[in-house]
Every structure is written in C-alpha cells, then in structure tokens.
Amino acid sequence: MVDAAACSRNSLPRNDDGSGPRVDLPFEVNFYGQTHDHVFVNNNGNVTFDQALSTFTPFGLKDTSRAIIAPFFADVDTRPTGSDVVRYGYGTTVYEGHEAFCVDWRNVGYYNGKTDKLNSFQLLLVARPDQGRGAFDIVFNYDGVQWETGDASGGRNGLGGTPARIGFASGRPGGTSEQPSTRPGTELPGSGESGAFLDSSPNGLVHSSLGSSVPGRYVFKVRNQGVVADKYVALGDSFQSGEGSYLYEDGTGAFGGCHRSTLAYPKVLASTTVRLDLDFEACSGAKMGDLVSTFKSENPQIDSLGYDTRLVTIGIGGNDLDFSGTLKNCIVQGLNPLNTFGPSCQKNFGADVDRNLTSLEKGKLRTDLVSLYRVVRAKAPYARVVVVSYPRFFNQSNFLNQNCQFIRGSDQKWINSSIDRADAAIGRAAQQVGFEHVNMADVLTLQDACAPAPAINGILFTAQHKGADNESFHPNPLGHARMAARIQSQLATITRPTYDILPGQTVVRKFTVSGRTVSVNVAWPGSDVETTLISPSGVRYTRSEPREADHANGPTYEYFTVPDAEAGEWTISSYGLDVAPEGEPVTLSTYEEEVLAPLPVAVVRTSGTGRTLSFDGTGSSVVGGRVVRYEWDFGDGTTGEGATVEHTFAEPGLYQVALVVTDDRGGVGFGATEGPVAAEDATPMRRSGVVRSASNLTITNSTSLVGPAADAVVDGDFTCDSRGHVGGDVIATGSVTLTNDCSVDGSITAGGTVRMDSNVRVGGDVTASGQVTVQSSVRVGGDVATADTLQVMDGRTVEQLRSIGSITGVVTERKALPPVVVPPVDELVAGSAPATDLSWGQWLKATAQANQAPSWSQGLSANPGCTLASWSAGGNVVSTAGATRIDATRAVSGCSSVSLQDQTLRLEGDLTIVAEGLTSTNGLRVVSADGAAHTLRIVVPGTLDGCATGRDIALVGPTTADDQVTVRLETPGRVRLDGQTDLRGAVVTGCLSATGAVTLRTV
C-alpha cells in the first residue's frame, strides 16, 4: 500500500454501513464514457460516483445500475476499537509521479463488531492527463485479507456466506462487446467465491498482481473515452480452446464445435492469477484466416479485441501445418496389422510437412502470421500480447521409446522435431512484431503421451467418429494446468523500458544490420512518440514517408519493417511528440530476419539377403557442416547407432528402416528406405485363392480364399487369424490354428493338433491326428474326430457344446486315423512345345519389330538383354498369336532372371514363360485379345521341396488379368506379390509373400 500523509487527511467516523460526504476530486475522470468530478467514500469497501451506498451484502458488479469502484465490497465494521477507520484524501499523494486520490481501509474489521480478523486494502485513482482528457488509472493495493464476509451476509467468523466482490461498474447495464465503452462492468475472478481472496489461498490477492511487479497490486488503465482495459482475450485453435480436456462450455461441445473447455489454460489463468474478465474466443480447428472471418457460425475471433483489452494470449498455426491430419495418417499406418511397427510416417508424409514448415519459416504462412499479429496490435493497442506455441507430444530424450501410441520411435522424434521447428518459427514471428513468446515445447516433459501420468491425450478412438477422435494428442487438464503455470511465469516478468523520453526530447539508438529484412518496434503506454529510421547512407524512413517499409502507428506503438535493409549501422531516432511532463517510458525492439542453418539429409542404403541385412548411412550430409550421429530404427522394435550397421531381424517380415542423423550444429534430419525391406521369410499373403505351399502358411487379416475348390494345401502348419476365410478345405501335414473370427467353409484335416477359439466357424468336419482344443464361441458344422482328445478352454463339457450349437455333428476321441499326406506335385517343367516356341531374345526382337521400335532399341540388337520394356521393345504392349512358349532360361537367354516393365500381354492363345527367375515391375496387365479363355503360365523348373533360394517369381505393382485369363505361378522358390493384385488361377510354390491388396481366385 502507498504510504502518504494525504491518504489519511480525512476519515469516516466509526460506523457500520455508513458513508462520507460528497468528495470533490482534484481532477476529472472519464469512466465508461461518463465524466465525474466527485465520489462518495463508502465504509463497505467501495466508492461510488452517483450517490452514497450503504448496502452491506455485495451484489454482482457486471450488471448493476450503480457507478462503483470496489477494491473489496463486503460488510466492513469499524465500530470496535480493534478496527481502524476508513481514511481518504489527496494533495501530496503521488503514484509513479502522477497525482492520485487515495482511500485506505487499513486493519478494518467485519460485522458484527468483529476484529479477530482484519483486512488492509487501498484504492488509488491516479490522474493520467498525458493519456487524454479524463484518462486515469485504478489501483487496488492489498496488504492482508483475513476475512471475506460479515455475519449479516451469511458469514461465520468472517468466512463463507456471500463473500466479497472486487471490480467496478459503469452503472449502465446492458452494454455490449461491440460498444465496450458501455460494457456494464468487471469483476475480478474469485468474486463471490468463498476463500478465493484470502491470504490463506495460494491464489489470494496478496500473492498475485496485475500490471505491476508488486505483489498485491492490481492496476487498471482507463483510456480512450473512459474505456477500462480490464479484459483478457484468449485467441487461437484447439490447443488454446481446451480440446481434449472435456467439460466444454455450453454450446461448444458438440461434434465439430469450438470445444471450449472450462479446464483450458485461459480459464485456469482467469480463475487464479489473471484478475481480468475473460473473453474466451479460441476455437478448435481454427487456422490463421479463421481468426479474421466467420468460423463455425461465430463472429471473427479478432472482433473481440478493443481498447478495453488488457491481455491477449494467441496460439495459432498448427492447423495451417496440418499436424492433426499427419498424425492421423501416422496412426493409421501404425495400426497396419501386417507390420506391428508400421512404415515410416516421416518417409511418407515428411515432404508435405516440410513444405508447410518452410512456408511458416520464410514463406506465405510466415507473412500471414506476422500480418495477423499486426492486426492484433492495431485492434488492442493497450494489451499485453503473449504468443503461445505448441508442446511436444513424446519423450524427447529417449529414442528407444518405441511404438508409443501406435507411432514408432523415429517418427516420434520426427514429430517432436517438427513441433520444435514450428515453435521456433512462431517465436521469430512474435519477435518480429515485438510480442512476447511462451515456448511450450518442453512444458509436458516427463508427462508426455506415453508417460505413466500423461499431461496430453494419446490416441483416442470413437466408433461414432469412425477413427481417431479430435481430442487425440491434445493436452488434458493436467497439461493445461502446466501451460497456465508457464504463461503465468511469463506474465510475472515485467518488461523494463528501454529509456524514458521527455516532451520535445529526441533519444537516439543505433543498431547494426547485415543486409536482411529488419523490423523496428517502438512501444509506450500512451500519448505519442514519433520514430524516424536512418539508414547507413542517410536515407530517412518517417511516419509521413516510410518509403518501401511496412509501417503503421497507433496510440501506443509504431513499427517499421524494411525489406533487404542496407547493411551497416542504422539509427533509430525517437521524439517525444506528445508525452507527459514527467516523461514516458519507451520500449524498443529490433529484429533482423535470421538465416536458418540447412538441416542434414539422411540417406539410407541397404544390402544383404535373408534376415541379416546391412544398412549404410554414410551418404547422409549437411551443407556447411558434418553429420556426427546416426540413429537407426529398424521397424521391429529395436534400434542401433553408427554410420553403418548390420541387423538381424528376429521375425520374417517386411520392415521400413528409418535413419535419424544429427549434425554438429544440433540440426536433425530424417530418412528411411524407399520401401519396406524383406527379411528372408516374408510375411504371408493377405488374400489368396487355392494355394499349394511346401512350407508353413498363414492366412490373416480378412484374407479370403474363394471359388470352387478354394483349398489351402500345406506341407507344414496352417494358421488362420483375424477374420481370415477359406472357401474350401484346409489340408495340412502339421498343426492347424484358427482364431479371431476365422472361418473355413469346408473341412479341416490336420496331421497335428487343431486349436480353435474366438468366434471361429468351420462348415464341415474337423479331423486331427493330435489334440483338438476349442472355445465355446466356436461353431463346427460337421463332425469332430481326433486321435487324441477334445479339450474345451472355458470349462464346458462336450454335451454343453452340443447343446449350445458349438458342435453340430458327432465327436469321436481316440480314433485311429491314417497319416495326412498332401497330394504330391510333379516336377515343375516347361511343358511340351506348342505351335510357337521362341527364345527370350527372339520374342523380344519380334515384339520390337511389331511395335516399330527405333533402330537403336536394344531389342533389335544382337544382344537384346534381359528386360522387356518400352525402351527395349518400343512399347508397352506385347501380342501373342496362338499358343506360345518363351524359353528364357540361362542356357538360352544368358539371363539368370528376366524382367517385364510396365507391360500389357494381349493373348490370342496360351502363353508359357520358362525362366530361372522373373520379375514384373511397374505393373502387369494380362488380357484376352479375342475374348476366348487363355492361360498365362510362369514356371521356374525344379523340384518343390521347401523354399529354394534365387528362384523367385516377383510381380511388383498393380497386376491384373481378365476373367477369361487363368494365371498359374509355379516355382520351387518364392512367389512375391507386391502391390494391388487381382488374378484368377493358382500358386504352387516353395513359399509365398505378399504385400498390398492381393487377391487370387480359384478357377
């Protein structure tokens, strides 16, 4: 509290609910557009402009007809001698060099004559004619608040009941936000709430401040025709609205709504330490442009700003970068059931994210953001503006934090790195316009999305919204509490002025420029300070002639942004054009656009076969620096370090290996293999027709074998999982396992055990040489016969299974059964010679001639090579007339393997290609040119016994065939189907792998 003799020059007699006489003020004040030259000092913690007030139970100040300023509106009782009296006066009272009217309530008690608890508070009305006629400051000071209620207001021992209210009112209820000068009034958060203002509360009045670094001091500026700067406006997107913290305000919680949470950080600030009237405008889904236009049927957020705005928090840009869409795509990939760790999100979506981030750093998004910030300053010239950026989602320090929230470790690091880039770019934009920046990057440290007590939601699924819910990856109430604390810490930091300026005084400052775009921001509390910039060569940039600079000025600010500013020493000359006699504090900031260091580029090379592969990152580089760290994410839950590494995959499958490199400047770059690399034992196909496999076979993930005799014949174990479907029989020399909604339309014959659970359906019989184990959710349409016993997992008896329809037929245990032998496969041979028998070279040459290929085409040369492509044969269409066999074996063609590139085979007869290996890339289309039924047979000669190496048939890219065409793929090695495939035929193979949407239909 301010100690001045004039504050105690006058006093009210000891009383309860009394008032003093009309007191003439030493200066006029313009309060909400009405000029006042006197007040009434009232015992109960307030002054009024219209007439004395004896009311002892506080009423709401936001919609009252009384013109009032109340530092602590409650039932003060100064009758007992243990309480001091209310004192007031003016004359020598000065606040920060300005004349002031003072009212003291020091050590006052409460009704009824109680002095066991005492309060000390003060009101100052401070003249500010330098800010305009009638301009003044309202200052509330608090030294101690021990009670909140009088006994006649429902209180007990000074507590509870109807507690005190703090604030002010115009006395003209019904004002609007569009006409802030007639807004009815403002109450400090906590008004009317028991315990909110007490010293015993951590958010009590003595523990906080507003507009001052002095604890217990709250300063409100009244400017521009009586407008009180008493409003806190929260602008931005879902991270500011509280999406994910739930408990949404009425009218905002519907799907697609603004989702303004009562637990969001603006609400936390307004209810604790920021003693201002909150205008909560932030809206989920908002982009930069949505702040200045109608969005979700609401007025532009920016329209809420005005001369009455005291504080602005603004967080925007995340939706412009499409972080939400990227994360959802990453999650979809992470849920890929064929690969537990999924492909690299960075590899697939990194280019789009990088393009948006670059735009935010130095492109259109940066320009848009700076322009938006400038609009905020113009509309709220008296506001303190705090720019809020975004928190990281994942553990920053632990690269081994694998598969968190369905996102692999390298992608977590990439997402965090992208957030860091965005935060830094947002911070630079804030610095350019002279705003404060609260960087939230590490605010959730140790409470990230995968921590035991996370402060941010992970992935949330809802059936209603069919996918990831919008609340995913948004701070929860704990996160918003941490964000509020970080902002409050910034608000507690008082920016010291650069210098004071007197009327008519010129203050000069100099700064050095390197030749890039420069911004100069000058700010002052009010009045007018005129700025001139002078370049090293003497060119002057003034308010009246800003030249090529972007320039504007308002009642509290002026700025210049000079593109490609002249290199050298610049001069900033500030002139006190219209300032208070005692001077005006001026804050000056300069910003020159930074040159961002290039980020390293990660390059991955792969070599090796089988499950042990080598990875080389030495091709990674960075302009002007060197790579000092290589981190590998192998996609199987393991990681490694080093420029070159060798890794053995524990399980067969397809894996996209990612690399994170760090340079000597701390820059981070990301890369991955172009596509998935295959460990030797590849993943099973997703969909298939009839298959004869010489080794174990797994049908999974909605695989369906359909058509006549859609059998799975396996020399080994057979597994069906996750809604797999076999339209025919399953015959396996080993064991059979069916689970998770798998179905078999025909019968099962197993040389080992059979296990069925989780809603399995079998249309026919189950016959097993080993034990049969079932769950009661299983349905078997035929008999069950086992050479061992039938076991029920969930404790039911066989009779109970029959009674509920789990098994329809007869159950026979300990039955003598013959061994299971799959039908033998003859030697895979080329077949007899058809009408036309060509070598590979002859076929390639004939095709080139038919396509009228240029004379230089390789297909027309003496050595036509091993590839049939447009560049070798002059086109992408190959026609056959009549039955044809092509001999592409090494002995005839010299090729260990031949290749078809983006070809269409037009058949007017059957076509057989015999080779020691064949690969089709960029798609293969097989059509019947005459509408008749034909067969394409690709065969690698040999004996079907296990899975031979180096004898592969690989169809990569979209592969399709007419319904009139039957396709047979035969090899003792591997058949690999990669990409969308739809064929009618059969596969006879040593082993099989497939990725993409692969369908094989039976003939």
Side-chain angles (χ1 to χ4, degrees):
M1 295 172 65
V2 173
D3 291 316
C7 287
S8 59
R9 180 171 296 172
N10 308 287
S11 63
L12 302 184
R14 293 187 180 278
N15 76 94
D16 175 45
D17 304 334
S19 302
R22 164 177 162 162
V23 179
D24 291 333
L25 294 173
F27 45 82
E28 290 185 342
V29 297
N30 188 328
F31 186 55
Y32 287 107
Q34 295 292 308
T35 299
H36 301 280
D37 60 5
H38 65 273
V39 296
F40 295 88
V41 177
N42 305 307
N43 204 63
N44 288 330
N46 62 80
V47 301
T48 46
F49 291 107
D50 45 7
Q51 60 185 2
L53 180 67
S54 61
T55 302
F56 53 85
T57 297
F59 49 75
L61 302 176
K62 289 189 174 183
D63 197 24
T64 176
S65 59
R66 302 304 303 271
I68 183 173
I69 299 176
F72 198 85
F73 185 9
D75 196 355
V76 176
D77 189 345
T78 61
R79 292 176 299 176
T81 56
S83 170
D84 200 349
V85 297
V86 179
R87 305 176 189 276
Y88 63 93
Y90 59 86
T92 59
T93 303
V94 174
Y95 174 78
E96 294 187 349
H98 301 283
E99 184 180 12
F101 174 78
C102 173
V103 185
D104 280 352
W105 288 264
R106 291 180 183 263
N107 296 314
V108 294
Y110 61 96
Y111 185 84
N112 184 13
K114 303 291 182 63
T115 59
D116 59 309
K117 301 180 181 68
L118 299 174
N119 287 354
S120 293
F121 55 95
Q122 182 183 62
L123 167 66
L124 299 177
L125 304 181
V126 183
R128 293 302 305 269
D130 55 302
Q131 302 298 309
R133 184 175 179 179
F136 70 106
D137 293 338
I138 301 170
V139 181
F140 295 158
N141 287 319
Y142 301 91
D143 268 3
V145 179
Q146 298 178 348
W147 62 268
E148 62 185 356
T149 318
D151 290 356
S153 301
R156 183 174 182 180
N157 297 322
L159 307 176
T162 304
R165 293 181 181 270
I166 298 173
F168 26 81
S170 66
R172 291 177 294 159
T176 65
S177 59
E178 288 75 17
Q179 294 179 301
S181 63
T182 61
R183 284 173 64 246
T186 290
E187 287 185 337
L188 265 66
S191 293
E193 298 178 12
S194 183
F197 295 146
L198 299 176
D199 296 351
S200 57
S201 168
N203 299 316
L205 295 168
V206 298
H207 305 304
S208 300
S209 63
L210 181 66
S212 171
S213 59
V214 178
R217 176 166 292 170
Y218 300 80
V219 183
F220 300 89
K221 300 176 181 180
V222 187
R223 305 285 189 272
N224 192 44
Q225 300 301 311
V227 176
V228 183
D230 59 358
K231 187 169 65 172
Y232 163 31
V233 181
L235 306 175
D237 54 23
S238 55
F239 278 75
Q240 331 311 319
S241 73
E243 176 98 69
S245 287
Y246 303 98
L247 292 180
Y248 301 126
E249 291 183 342
D250 292 343
T252 74
F255 179 65
C258 282
H259 286 185
R260 296 188 183 103
S261 172
T262 57
L263 301 174
Y265 77 73
K267 285 285 192 178
V268 175
L269 289 171
S271 65
T272 54
T273 55
V274 175
R275 306 287 188 174
L276 293 172
D277 190 14
L278 173 62
D279 192 341
F280 195 6
E281 296 290 330
C283 185
S284 175
K287 297 182 178 181
M288 294 178 197
D290 298 324
L291 269 62
V292 297
S293 59
T294 300
F295 182 61
K296 296 188 177 179
S297 300
E298 294 192 359
N299 291 330
Q301 294 186 35
I302 209 80
D303 286 356
S304 62
L305 302 175
Y307 280 39
D308 59 342
T309 306
R310 179 66 171 276
L311 172 66
V312 177
T313 56
I314 177 171
I316 197 71
N319 290 318
D320 298 87
L321 297 170
D322 195 26
F323 272 152
S324 175
T326 299
L327 269 176
K328 287 183 179 180
N329 287 330
C330 289
I331 291 161
V332 169
Q333 289 192 351
L335 291 173
N336 179 359
L338 290 180
N339 188 336
T340 305
F341 300 93
S344 167
C345 184
Q346 180 277 328
K347 185 68 175 179
N348 292 324
F349 306 108
D352 291 338
V353 171
D354 183 72
R355 182 170 54 252
N356 289 336
L357 284 170
T358 300
S359 179
L360 183 63
E361 289 170 335
K362 55 185 179 182
K364 184 179 184 301
L365 288 180
R366 170 61 176 270
T367 301
D368 292 347
L369 186 58
V370 169
S371 297
L372 177 62
Y373 289 164
R374 294 295 193 196
V375 172
V376 170
R377 171 50 70 220
K379 293 184 72 70
Y382 295 100
R384 183 176 185 179
V385 182
V386 177
V387 172
V388 181
S389 54
Y390 298 91
R392 301 186 191 109
F393 300 162
F394 303 106
N395 186 338
Q396 180 69 0
S397 61
N398 184 11
F399 182 70
L400 300 178
N401 186 21
Q402 292 292 310
N403 201 25
C404 167
Q405 297 295 328
F406 305 101
I407 297 177
R408 57 192 288 179
S410 56
D411 282 337
Q412 294 170 45
K413 195 160 188 173
W414 169 65
I415 291 168
N416 277 359
S417 178
S418 298
I419 293 171
D420 286 345
R421 281 182 65 185
D423 287 350
I426 290 169
R428 288 190 294 270
Q431 187 179 356
Q432 181 178 342
V433 302
F435 286 173
E436 299 172 63
H437 172 219
V438 176
N439 192 338
M440 292 291 179
D442 62 347
V443 74
L444 305 183
T445 298
L446 301 181
Q447 291 187 292
D448 56 275
C450 296
I456 185 172
N457 297 330
I459 180 64
L460 304 174
F461 294 105
T462 61
Q464 177 185 3
H465 303 158
K466 298 181 180 180
D469 200 76
N470 288 336
E471 282 87 353
S472 300
F473 292 102
H474 280 77
N476 58 27
L478 177 59
H480 274 275
R482 297 187 71 163
M483 293 174 74
R486 172 87 39 109
I487 295 171
Q488 177 53 37
S489 178
Q490 177 65 28
L491 294 177
T493 303
I494 304 300
T495 301
R496 302 300 176 187
T498 309
Y499 51 81
D500 290 327
I501 194 167
L502 297 171
Q505 182 185 12
T506 298
V507 177
V508 174
R509 292 289 187 272
K510 296 182 181 294
F511 68 106
T512 302
V513 174
S514 299
R516 299 184 294 274
T517 297
V518 167
S519 294
V520 175
N521 301 283
V522 185
W524 55 89
S527 64
D528 197 4
V529 176
E530 188 173 22
T531 300
T532 299
L533 298 186
I534 306 171
S535 74
S537 62
V539 177
R540 300 174 69 87
Y541 296 77
T542 66
R543 183 175 294 181
S544 60
E545 191 176 355
R547 298 181 181 272
E548 76 276 12
D550 177 28
H551 169 269
N553 65 282
T556 63
Y557 66 91
E558 185 169 18
Y559 69 82
F560 294 84
T561 295
V562 183
D564 301 321
E566 179 184 351
E569 187 177 68
W570 282 64
T571 300
I572 305 171
S573 176
S574 298
Y575 175 70
L577 183 64
D578 181 16
V579 299
E582 64 275 9
E584 190 89 13
V586 176
T587 301
L588 171 67
S589 68
T590 62
Y591 173 79
E592 183 173 10
E593 196 64 45
E594 298 180 25
V595 177
L596 302 180
L599 294 175
V601 177
V603 176
V604 180
R605 296 189 179 93
T606 307
S607 61
T609 58
R611 294 192 191 178
T612 300
L613 302 175
S614 297
F615 302 97
D616 185 347
T618 57
S620 306
S621 62
V622 60
V623 176
R626 59 188 181 88
V627 176
V628 297
R629 187 177 186 187
Y630 302 79
E631 297 173 284
W632 297 90
D633 176 357
F634 297 115
D636 60 355
T638 65
T639 61
E641 288 203 38
T644 59
V645 293
E646 186 177 83
H647 179 66
T648 300
F649 293 91
E651 298 292 336
L654 297 173
Y655 303 92
Q656 192 159 31
V657 177
L659 171 62
V660 181
V661 296
T662 306
D663 65 24
D664 51 358
R665 296 179 295 233
V668 183
F670 300 84
T673 54
E674 286 300 322
V677 296
E680 184 177 20
D681 299 328
T683 53
M685 65 187 299
R686 298 184 65 171
R687 301 187 188 126
S688 66
V690 63
V691 176
R692 169 66 168 91
S693 176
S695 56
N696 296 342
L697 177 64
T698 298
I699 300 298
T700 185
N701 299 310
S702 301
T703 297
S704 184
L705 311 184
V706 295
D711 301 333
V713 181
V714 185
D715 226 345
D717 297 335
F718 174 81
T719 301
C720 180
D721 190 6
S722 300
R723 300 175 304 280
H725 174 230
V726 178
D729 296 335
V730 173
I731 303 171
T733 59
S735 296
V736 173
T737 301
L738 292 83
T739 186
N740 294 327
D741 301 294
C742 178
S743 60
V744 177
D745 291 349
S747 296
I748 297 174
T749 303
T753 61
V754 173
R755 181 183 177 90
M756 300 178 289
D757 61 36
S758 301
N759 300 309
V760 162
R761 300 291 184 270
V762 179
D765 299 334
V766 175
T767 303
S769 299
Q771 186 180 76
V772 176
T773 305
V774 300
Q775 189 183 57
S776 60
S777 64
V778 168
R779 295 294 182 267
V780 177
D783 298 335
V784 175
T786 172
D788 202 318
T789 59
L790 174 67
Q791 299 291 322
V792 184
M793 300 179 198
D794 41 10
R796 297 183 184 234
T797 65
V798 173
E799 288 305 315
Q800 287 175 326
L801 292 185
R802 290 174 56 81
S803 68
I804 62 176
S806 288
I807 299 176
T808 302
V810 177
V811 176
T812 305
E813 298 176 287
R814 308 293 182 185
K815 182 177 181 179
L817 296 171
V820 176
V821 179
V822 299
V825 176
D826 295 333
E827 186 85 356
L828 301 180
V829 296
S832 60
T836 304
D837 196 0
L838 300 175
S839 70
W840 172 263
Q842 290 171 332
W843 189 45
L844 200 156
K845 183 175 182 179
T847 301
Q849 291 172 337
N851 290 336
Q852 297 181 349
S855 59
W856 47 260
S857 298
Q858 186 172 356
L860 297 175
S861 68
N863 181 18
C866 302
T867 300
L868 177 56
S870 59
W871 51 265
S872 65
N876 300 95
V877 178
V878 182
S879 298
T880 64
T884 304
R885 182 180 65 179
I886 309 300
D887 189 348
T889 58
R890 184 195 298 266
V892 174
S893 67
C895 301
S896 59
S897 179
V898 294
S899 174
L900 307 177
Q901 291 188 3
D902 189 19
Q903 293 295 309
T904 297
L905 303 182
R906 292 175 51 83
L907 306 185
E908 293 184 6
D910 295 344
L911 175 63
T912 300
I913 302 175
V914 184
E916 295 181 31
L918 181 143
T919 300
S920 167
T921 58
N922 299 326
L924 175 65
R925 297 157 299 281
V926 189
V927 299
S928 172
D930 56 6
H934 300 297
T935 298
L936 169 64
R937 181 176 180 234
I938 301 174
V939 57
V940 177
T943 302
L944 192 68
D945 183 16
C947 188
T949 59
R951 312 280 287 175
D952 296 350
I953 298 174
L955 306 184
V956 181
T959 303
T960 60
D962 284 355
D963 286 341
Q964 292 84 4
V965 177
T966 298
V967 178
R968 290 186 60 84
L969 306 177
E970 304 173 30
T971 176
R974 174 184 288 106
V975 170
R976 180 162 68 95
L977 305 175
D978 196 349
Q980 184 173 354
T981 302
D982 193 341
L983 302 176
R984 189 171 69 102
V987 175
V988 180
T989 180
C991 52
L992 177 68
S993 68
T995 58
V998 176
T999 301
L1000 286 177
R1001 309 178 188 279
T1002 61
V1003 179

